[in-house]
């Protein structure tokens, strides 16, 4: 008789191999070792049977998270960010190269990030590098050190230590990453459009949206498409908010250009018509637009024009988020939503009759694929990491910002009722979160590197 497995999880509904089925997931040495029928006897040192109403799904892979440590840890650090992730069913995050100090634009800065994250991480953590004017021409050493790709801004980032690229520098960055088969991920807003659209700020949300018009995204994305066509580089458009850019993206994909696109939970959950004046907890760049635009983003997800959904968790202190007493020009931009991103998207999808498996495709399968982690992350399959979530899709809960694991009690989702409760999260077969459990758990997260074959 073979040795017992470390863990067996039995559920009446498991999402595996692209379908739902009753199954028992057997785990050994942190990976899924076998998938058996739910009524099959599976010897294991620990056996868990999910109660009625809970389903077993793969851990969410969030490819867009700002942790801010070191340097701005008062905004968010690895302890709080990764605990929030685990509580939200997110088992892998990839940290953006800003707003930490120093930004992750050198190998030395990456090592500082890794040293900070390693002892604190409750989930697995990878890192993006940064493409800024001073790092162009020297990106390959960072790639060799394990970053998953390089982030560039085409408009001011909001922090002086991470300047944006001009259109000519964007072309240079794309040529450079094409030379070694890398990936450039792009905050696509055109600064000349933003300059022409600037206003005096204030509490009027509509005035804020007008200051960051859809044309800014359209023009910047056109520059990316032109650069990809010229260089053959892989590019990924971050946090798409404007549906007006979708036709150009569809055409680029139809042409066969290697471009992928993400949008975010807040663009799918909120609309400009329902954001009160002065409610700067909703400020982000590019901004949350109107309901008709939101509908078109959902359509683009369903037809594959938009590939994935990532949180763009971008927290700050309450003092910064509410700076200017409701003035959208003064307040820090960014939505703090890591812990609630999965339930938020599921809630909005459910209201539209979109099944949970599509949400898992956008937030687990496709995010893992973007990172080259599709063999180990984002699915429940033999040989994959045993990153698993017991999820109750029909159970509702009210979001209270003060109860979230995020470092600062500021959230656009505060007071909102969502569907989908994360009851238990396993990372490599070890429990890293249990709902309403106060047990202090050892950080079990691993530091991830880009696979050398990518």
């Amino acid at each position: 008789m073979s040795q017992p497995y470390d863990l067996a999880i039995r559920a009446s509904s498991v999402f595996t191999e692209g379908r739902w089925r009753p199954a028992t997931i057997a785990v050994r040495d942190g990976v899924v070792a076998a998938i058996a029928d739910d009524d099959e006897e599976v010897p294991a040192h620990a056996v868990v049977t999910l109660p009625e109403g809970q389903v077993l799904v793969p851990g969410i892979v969030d490819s867009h998270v700002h942790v801010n440590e070191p340097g701005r840890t008062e905004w968010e650090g690895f302890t709080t960010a990764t605990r929030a992730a685990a509580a939200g069913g997110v088992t892998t995050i990839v940290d953006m190269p800003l707003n930490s100090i120093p930004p992750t634009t050198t190998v030395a800065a990456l090592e500082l990030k890794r040293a900070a994250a390693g002892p604190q991480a409750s989930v697995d953590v990878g890192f993006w590098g940064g493409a800024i004017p001073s790092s162009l021409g020297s990106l390959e050493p960072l790639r060799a050190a394990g970053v998953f790709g390089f982030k560039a801004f085409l408009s001011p980032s909001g922090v002086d230590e991470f300047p944006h690229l001009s259109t000519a520098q964007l072309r240079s960055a794309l040529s450079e990453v094409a030379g070694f088969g890398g990936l450039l991920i792009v905050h696509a807003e055109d600064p000349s459009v933003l300059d022409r659209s600037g206003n005096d700020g204030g509490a009027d949300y509509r005035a804020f949206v007008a200051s960051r018009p859809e044309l800014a995204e359209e023009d910047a994305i056109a520059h990316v498409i032109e650069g990809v066509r010229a260089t053959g580089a892989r590019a990924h458009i971050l946090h798409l908010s404007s549906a007006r850019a979708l036709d150009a993206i569809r055409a680029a994909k139809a042409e066969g250009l290697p471009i992928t696109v993400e949008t975010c939970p807040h663009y799918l959950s909120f609309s400009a018509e329902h954001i009160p004046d002065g409610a700067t907890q909703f400020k982000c760049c590019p901004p949350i637009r109107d309901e008709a635009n939101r509908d078109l983003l959902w359509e683009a997800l369903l037809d594959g024009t938009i590939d994935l959904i990532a949180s763009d968790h971008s927290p700050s202190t309450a003092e910064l988020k509410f700076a200017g007493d409701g003035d959208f020009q003064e307040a820090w931009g960014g939505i703090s939503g890591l812990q609630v991103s999965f339930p938020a998207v599921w809630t909005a999808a459910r209201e539209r009759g979109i099944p949970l498996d599509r949400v898992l495709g956008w937030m687990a399968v496709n995010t893992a694929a973007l990172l080259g982690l599709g063999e180990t992350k984002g699915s429940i399959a033999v040989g994959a990491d045993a990153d698993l979530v017991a999820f109750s899709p029909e159970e509702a809960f009210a979001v209270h910002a003060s109860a979230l694991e995020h470092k600062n009690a500021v959230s656009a989702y505060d007071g909102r009722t969502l569907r989908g409760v994360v009851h238990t999260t396993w990372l490599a077969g070890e429990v890293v979160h249990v709902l309403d459990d106060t047990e202090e758990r050892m950080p079990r997260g691993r530091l991830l590197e880009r696979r050398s074959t990518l």
Side-chain angles (χ1 to χ4, degrees):
M1 182 177 177
S2 62
Q3 291 293 315
Y5 296 102
D6 300 327
L7 170 68
I9 305 174
R10 181 177 290 111
S12 60
S13 188
V14 178
F15 188 65
T16 177
E17 299 175 334
R19 65 188 180 95
W20 296 96
R21 57 168 282 200
T24 298
I25 305 302
V27 178
R28 180 178 285 137
D29 297 330
V31 303
V32 176
I35 300 175
D37 291 336
D38 65 325
D39 56 358
E40 189 175 332
E41 188 67 30
V42 177
H45 294 297
V47 178
V48 175
T49 300
L50 299 193
E52 184 178 354
Q54 291 185 27
V55 301
L56 191 68
V57 300
I60 298 301
V61 177
D62 193 337
S63 54
H64 192 154
V65 177
H66 294 266
V67 177
N68 309 327
E69 185 175 5
R72 290 190 175 96
T73 312
E74 70 274 15
W75 296 16
E76 190 80 276
F78 284 104
T79 292
T80 50
T82 58
R83 285 180 178 172
V90 178
T91 52
T92 300
I93 66 169
V94 186
D95 174 61
M96 284 291 166
L98 74 163
N99 301 302
S100 58
I101 302 173
T104 315
T105 55
T106 65
V107 173
L110 174 63
E111 291 309 313
L112 288 174
K113 277 275 192 183
R114 293 173 65 85
Q120 301 183 67
S122 293
V123 300
D124 290 352
V125 180
F127 304 92
W128 295 107
I132 61 175
S134 63
S135 69
L136 297 183
S138 57
L139 299 179
E140 194 163 9
L142 252 184
R143 181 177 188 266
V147 299
F148 285 88
F150 299 90
K151 181 176 187 176
F153 274 76
L154 303 187
S155 58
S157 72
V159 292
D160 292 340
E161 67 275 2
F162 203 95
H164 67 286
L165 302 183
S166 67
T167 302
Q169 289 167 333
L170 166 67
R171 182 67 62 89
S172 296
L174 287 167
S175 296
E176 187 173 352
V177 299
F180 52 71
L183 171 66
L184 191 73
I185 64 174
V186 185
H187 179 125
E189 288 182 287
D190 188 280
S192 63
V193 176
L194 297 180
D195 287 345
R196 294 197 304 269
S197 306
N199 56 42
D200 294 331
D204 186 340
Y205 183 72
R206 289 169 297 181
F208 169 63
V209 174
S211 75
R212 316 233 21 146
E214 292 184 80
L215 182 62
E217 289 187 82
E218 286 184 90
D219 282 3
I221 289 169
H223 293 318
V224 175
I225 292 170
E226 290 165 5
V228 169
R229 184 182 293 117
T231 64
R234 287 174 61 216
H236 177 72
I237 304 298
L238 297 166
H239 47 53
L240 180 72
S241 87
S242 170
R244 276 177 44 177
L246 290 170
D247 284 346
I249 293 166
R250 286 191 178 100
K253 288 190 166 195
E255 188 181 334
L257 298 181
I259 291 176
T260 50
V261 183
E262 73 182 44
T263 192
C264 301
H266 38 280
Y267 300 133
L268 302 168
S269 298
F270 304 118
S271 60
E273 293 91 336
H274 297 97
I275 294 177
D277 288 348
T280 52
Q281 66 269 33
F282 291 95
K283 179 184 176 181
C284 56
C285 300
I288 296 164
R289 304 190 189 277
D290 60 41
E291 288 185 11
N293 181 85
R294 181 179 63 181
D295 290 343
L296 292 171
L297 295 179
W298 276 107
E299 289 179 15
L301 280 163
L302 289 168
D303 70 22
T305 304
I306 299 175
D307 300 271
L308 59 93
I309 302 169
S311 72
D312 190 9
H313 176 68
S314 187
S316 70
T317 63
E319 180 182 15
L320 285 170
K321 193 61 184 161
F322 298 114
D325 193 25
D327 187 329
F328 280 93
Q329 187 161 284
E330 296 296 322
W332 178 260
I335 302 292
S336 180
L338 176 57
Q339 185 170 334
V340 296
S341 60
F342 177 31
V345 174
W346 164 235
T347 299
R350 179 181 175 276
E351 290 171 354
R352 292 168 181 267
I354 299 169
L356 181 57
D357 55 278
R358 295 301 304 271
V359 173
L360 295 170
W362 296 319
M363 302 190 77
V365 178
N366 293 359
T367 44
L370 174 74
L371 302 166
L373 296 176
E375 292 182 5
T376 56
K377 302 289 187 186
S379 64
I380 300 176
V382 172
D385 291 348
D387 299 346
L388 307 165
V389 177
F391 186 65
S392 180
E394 294 306 310
E395 190 175 350
F397 70 102
V399 178
H400 299 290
S402 61
L404 298 174
E405 296 284 351
H406 306 152
K407 176 158 284 190
N408 292 285
V410 179
S411 176
Y413 297 92
D414 189 34
R416 196 172 179 89
T417 297
L418 301 178
R419 293 271 183 175
V421 172
V422 173
H423 282 269
T424 309
T425 304
W426 292 267
L427 182 76
E430 299 285 347
V431 173
V432 292
H433 168 77
V434 176
L435 182 67
D436 296 331
D437 188 354
T438 58
E439 179 182 341
E440 188 75 18
R441 291 184 168 80
M442 291 288 292
R444 297 185 177 276
R446 297 159 292 182
L447 302 184
L448 305 177
E449 296 184 7
R450 176 195 53 82
R451 294 188 173 189
S452 59
T453 54
L454 292 176

